[in-house]
Amino acid sequence: MNLSRLKYLGLLPLLASVGAQPLKSQPQSLDLPRIPNAGTPRNVVFILSDDHRHDFMGFMKRVPWLETPNMDRMAREGAHLRNAFVTTSLCSPSRASILTGMYSHQHTVVDNAAPVPGNLVFFPQYLQKAGYRTAFFGKWHMGKATAAPRPGFDHWESFRGQGKYYGVTLNINGKPTKYDDKTYTTDLLTEHAINWMKEQQNSGRPFFVYLSHKAVHSNFSPAARHAGCYAGKEVPLPRSYKTPKYGTPALPSTDAKTGAPAGGAAYYGETMHPDWLKAQRESHHGVDYAYHGRHPWKDEVVRYCETLRALDDSIGSVIAYLKEAGLYESTLVIYMGDNGFSWGEHGVIDKRHFYEESVRVPMLATCPELFRDGQVVENMIQNTDIAPTILELAGLQKPGHMVGSSFVPLLKGKQTPWRDRIFYEYYWEYNHPETPTMHGVRTDRYKLVRYYGIWDCNEFYDLQNDPDEMRNLIAAPEHQALIKQLTGELYDWLESTGGMSIPLKRTVRPHADHRNKGTF
């Protein structure tokens, strides 16, 4: 791959900064060069949700009865970055990529149990060094279940692990504070974030707020004011709900005449969906045994949407405060999800995989002084772009190890060189063995997914003609040259960014899945 190609993919800055050194041995100065003529550093509010898929917003019309008036308003008054993706569709890896501007295999927080290496620098640390006041509110979910304060924040409020929707205990600057069972966590975090912003009004310093919600993670629990508001609503089935066929083929598949077992479409079925996907339908993350049969999956979707309402209220409250304080015009507000979520597509629920509903996330932004309202940004954005974007608003050049790029020029409507493909990785987890290790690449039209460590078929989709990913074209003769090219690019990406090792961790504990529960 030539240098111009690497630059276009956003990889050249990484190679230039790393050279022959491993990334972990890089010097980590917090003094970043300033961008010439950058202007006054802006206040930034970053709102992150959990498991909110990209099209579950009212204005997207995916669910006809879903109401998200404040998200809708952000899209009208600001920008909708409609092609936003994560590099790994899982809470901890995505959050680490947001904070570091790096891929999962670089920061090594590859799953929800992985420790956070002590050498990582989070972008709020650079903001602190540049004179910002910084605060974190909510779900951290990286590096054990502790709620203890982490680097980069002057003010800290968090909870252990996934936390609770009601009656949460917050670690506030090192001191545990328990709230009663009537206190709803989404509202509590929002109130505290706004109160902290009010305290900064006379400080003379710019501020950065990271408001990180538990919502809308399972177990879904709406605020009391929204409980039952969508009861009885019909959940629309996705087109691909029945795409993977059970029992295709019946085993043994040996041909009576030739004695050969079936291969290709004769084995996987006409749509060529892999075996792991068919099996997942009857798992913790499948529609036929969702969350170990806790509720019918359609009821889960309804509660998810009801829980989403308070999250939308939170966005409205933050923006209302900024307008009241006279800060709205000049403050960048970004809202996004930490990963997407499947609700019946291909017969599965949850995230982790590289299908569109899992890897795409909602992303909205407002800052009237910076860009006009009603924009729709079509470029492919990734979670690794958040840190460089916020650093630019602070007038700071991004450090060389960050692989993402600032999307401020895109918000301003400027023509700027940008990536024409994204890369994806996910590593098999002991607690959720139904989803295999995978790597993938997606252009604006095509997607290739390669699986590792299982006997199964890879996947290739023409997203223009098959946006629901219902027909796997991995064996199509007319696409073999492109599949070979994309496979080479996938390995170029992994090799050039230090991603050629599969992470392993000690897992000396019984299985939790229903097929092997209690066994080692």
Side-chain angles (χ1 to χ4, degrees):
M1 186 179 287
N2 60 39
L3 290 182
S4 62
R5 182 67 174 155
L6 287 170
K7 183 175 182 180
Y8 199 59
L9 296 180
L11 303 181
L12 190 58
L14 176 75
L15 299 183
S17 66
V18 175
Q21 299 182 70
L23 190 65
K24 64 182 179 181
S25 66
Q26 288 265 308
Q28 299 280 11
S29 172
L30 296 179
D31 283 308
L32 295 180
R34 290 200 59 82
I35 299 171
N37 305 313
T40 303
R42 293 184 181 275
N43 297 325
V44 178
V45 179
F46 179 67
I47 305 173
L48 185 70
S49 61
D50 197 313
D51 287 358
H52 184 197
R53 57 182 278 161
H54 77 104
D55 54 359
F56 270 45
M57 296 185 285
F59 69 92
M60 295 292 286
K61 308 297 185 184
R62 170 66 177 80
V63 181
W65 37 264
L66 177 61
E67 301 160 289
T68 58
N70 295 297
M71 295 178 194
D72 300 356
R73 188 175 299 112
M74 280 194 77
R76 289 196 309 271
E77 296 182 355
H80 177 208
L81 297 94
R82 66 180 302 272
N83 286 307
F85 300 84
V86 292
T87 58
T88 300
S89 182
L90 189 61
C91 294
S92 297
S94 178
R95 290 160 189 267
S97 290
I98 288 168
L99 282 161
T100 64
M102 298 160 65
Y103 298 119
S104 297
H105 63 257
Q106 294 175 317
H107 57 63
T108 72
V109 184
V110 293
D111 60 29
N112 289 344
V116 176
N119 60 295
L120 292 184
V121 175
F122 306 132
F123 78 83
Q125 293 177 260
Y126 297 116
L127 297 180
Q128 281 183 313
K129 187 68 174 178
Y132 269 71
R133 293 280 296 162
T134 61
F136 182 89
F137 301 88
K139 180 178 176 179
W140 180 256
H141 202 249
M142 280 184 293
K144 301 181 181 178
T146 175
R150 308 298 176 101
F153 299 99
D154 300 309
H155 183 84
W156 176 268
E157 300 190 20
S158 187
F159 43 74
R160 289 176 57 85
Q162 294 288 359
K164 298 162 60 178
Y165 278 107
Y166 285 92
V168 71
T169 296
L170 291 180
N171 180 317
I172 302 179
N173 297 321
K175 180 181 178 181
T177 304
K178 177 74 169 67
Y179 293 86
D180 64 51
D181 290 342
K182 293 183 179 179
T183 301
Y184 192 62
T185 301
T186 303
D187 297 341
L188 179 69
L189 296 173
T190 305
E191 177 187 346
H192 285 198
I194 291 173
N195 288 340
W196 185 84
M197 285 189 282
K198 290 178 179 178
E199 294 171 0
Q200 311 312 307
Q201 286 182 318
N202 298 319
S203 71
R205 296 165 61 184
F207 63 75
F208 169 70
V209 172
Y210 193 137
L211 177 53
S212 180
H213 287 295
K214 171 182 173 58
V216 283
H217 195 282
S218 173
N219 294 336
F220 312 115
S221 185
R225 62 187 178 277
H226 299 132
C229 68
Y230 294 137
K233 293 292 187 181
E234 182 62 29
V235 176
L237 283 179
R239 291 184 64 241
S240 63
Y241 181 79
K242 295 183 178 180
T243 296
K245 300 296 191 296
Y246 278 127
T248 302
L251 298 179
S253 65
T254 307
D255 186 281
K257 294 181 179 179
T258 66
Y267 179 83
Y268 291 106
E270 183 183 359
T271 60
M272 288 286 290
H273 280 95
D275 284 343
W276 75 263
L277 182 63
K278 299 168 189 172
Q280 188 166 128
R281 187 179 181 109
E282 195 181 69
S283 76
H284 181 75
H285 291 151
V287 294
D288 293 335
Y289 195 47
Y291 297 121
H292 293 165
R294 183 176 68 204
H295 303 291
W297 79 271
K298 284 191 175 184
D299 292 350
E300 296 280 6
V301 180
V302 169
R303 290 180 64 82
Y304 174 93
C305 290
E306 292 177 351
T307 305
L308 186 60
R309 292 290 301 276
L311 178 62
D312 186 74
D313 288 347
S314 172
I315 293 171
S317 296
V318 169
I319 290 179
Y321 162 71
L322 293 173
K323 289 182 176 181
E324 176 189 326
L327 299 172
Y328 178 67
E329 298 287 321
S330 61
T331 299
L332 175 67
V333 180
I334 298 176
Y335 168 70
M336 73 174 291
D338 68 343
N339 48 249
F341 206 82
S342 294
W343 275 127
E345 290 83 2
H346 303 102
V348 300
I349 64 170
D350 196 68
K351 55 263 188 179
R352 293 173 167 84
H353 47 262
F354 194 29
Y355 297 123
E356 289 290 280
E357 57 279 355
S358 170
V359 72
R360 295 181 68 173
V361 294
M363 187 178 289
L364 306 166
T366 61
C367 185
E369 284 185 358
L370 197 63
F371 53 90
R372 61 182 175 81
D373 59 5
Q375 282 204 77
V376 177
V377 176
E378 299 286 351
N379 305 74
M380 289 188 284
I381 310 297
Q382 290 202 275
N383 50 353
T384 52
D385 298 328
I386 293 296
T389 297
I390 293 175
L391 290 176
E392 178 173 340
L393 269 294
L396 302 173
Q397 297 181 20
K398 73 169 187 176
H401 65 267
M402 287 188 177
V403 298
S405 299
S406 169
F407 52 79
V408 170
L410 300 179
L411 292 174
K412 292 180 176 179
K414 294 182 178 180
Q415 293 294 321
T416 187
W418 199 256
R419 67 175 65 90
D420 65 350
R421 60 206 60 214
I422 61 165
F423 295 96
Y424 184 80
E425 59 187 329
Y426 168 78
Y427 299 97
W428 177 87
E429 300 168 90
Y430 188 83
N431 285 349
H432 297 286
E434 59 267 34
T435 307
T437 292
M438 67 187 77
H439 297 89
V441 55
R442 182 199 190 277
T443 70
D444 60 352
R445 178 168 179 175
Y446 297 105
K447 178 188 290 185
L448 172 69
V449 195
R450 290 177 62 84
Y451 298 104
Y452 182 88
I454 58 172
W455 187 17
D456 218 328
C457 68
N458 295 324
E459 297 180 87
F460 179 79
Y461 295 100
D462 179 345
L463 298 173
Q464 179 175 299
N465 294 315
D466 181 22
D468 297 298
E469 300 166 293
M470 295 175 67
R471 181 169 292 276
N472 179 14
L473 301 176
I474 195 68
E478 67 271 23
H479 291 303
Q480 294 309 299
L482 178 57
I483 291 170
K484 183 178 180 180
Q485 174 192 325
L486 291 175
T487 300
E489 291 186 7
L490 185 57
Y491 281 108
D492 288 342
W493 167 65
L494 290 169
E495 288 179 345
S496 64
T497 59
M500 291 295 286
S501 298
I502 300 295
L504 293 176
K505 296 184 297 298
R506 288 177 64 90
T507 51
V508 186
R509 59 180 183 273
H511 284 281
D513 66 284
H514 71 277
R515 289 184 180 175
N516 303 287
K517 191 173 181 63
T519 66
F520 282 88

